[in-house]
Amino acid sequence: MGISWGSIMLVAVGGAFGGMARVATSNLFAKWLGIAFPWGTLAVNLLGAFALGWVASTLNQGSPPFGDAWLFVAVGLLGGFTTVSSFSLQTLGLWESGMGGKALANITSTLTLGVAALGLGAWLAGGGL
């Protein structure tokens, strides 16, 4: 089964909107909380995990989540919104700047709270994954 141009466009448009939302959200959190810790990246990753839990639970009512809504929202929009690469770069930057405690806090909070946010989103949507 090949991928269609329509599917590619859904992911591309969703990713474009997700990337723009990531920049706006990251900048907003940096303005509110400062840049001594990567609050913006943490916020987008937690919000994205929450939203993906909600979407997965809502769209995956007993069937594989491979429809157009999944491609646009989960793969495109939320894939463009969340960012492992920025998380990794900022964590390494903290570590190399002698802020190992903040680097470990970033890893721990992103992973622990991210899984919790995903579960909360799924639970609030009324189901599981």
Side-chain angles (χ1 to χ4, degrees), residues 1-116:
M1 177 173 126
I3 189 160
S4 70
W5 282 107
S7 296
I8 292 170
M9 290 306 297
L10 286 170
V11 173
V13 171
F17 283 112
M20 290 184 286
R22 177 178 69 221
V23 169
T25 304
S26 291
N27 288 342
L28 183 63
F29 274 84
K31 182 178 178 182
W32 285 347
L33 301 172
I35 60 170
F37 187 82
W39 295 111
T41 302
L42 177 61
V44 298
N45 285 333
L46 295 181
L47 290 169
F50 174 83
L52 186 59
W54 180 281
V55 168
S57 182
T58 302
L59 295 181
N60 191 17
Q61 300 298 323
S63 62
F66 296 119
D68 288 347
W70 180 262
L71 289 174
F72 178 76
V73 177
V75 178
L77 184 70
L78 295 175
F81 183 66
T82 60
T83 174
V84 171
S85 56
S86 291
F87 157 74
S88 301
L89 179 65
Q90 291 165 340
T91 302
L92 182 60
L94 289 169
W95 185 266
E96 289 180 344
S97 297
M99 294 184 269
K102 284 187 178 181
L104 293 175
N106 194 34
I107 293 167
T108 303
S109 59
T110 297
L111 295 177
T112 305
L113 296 175
V115 171

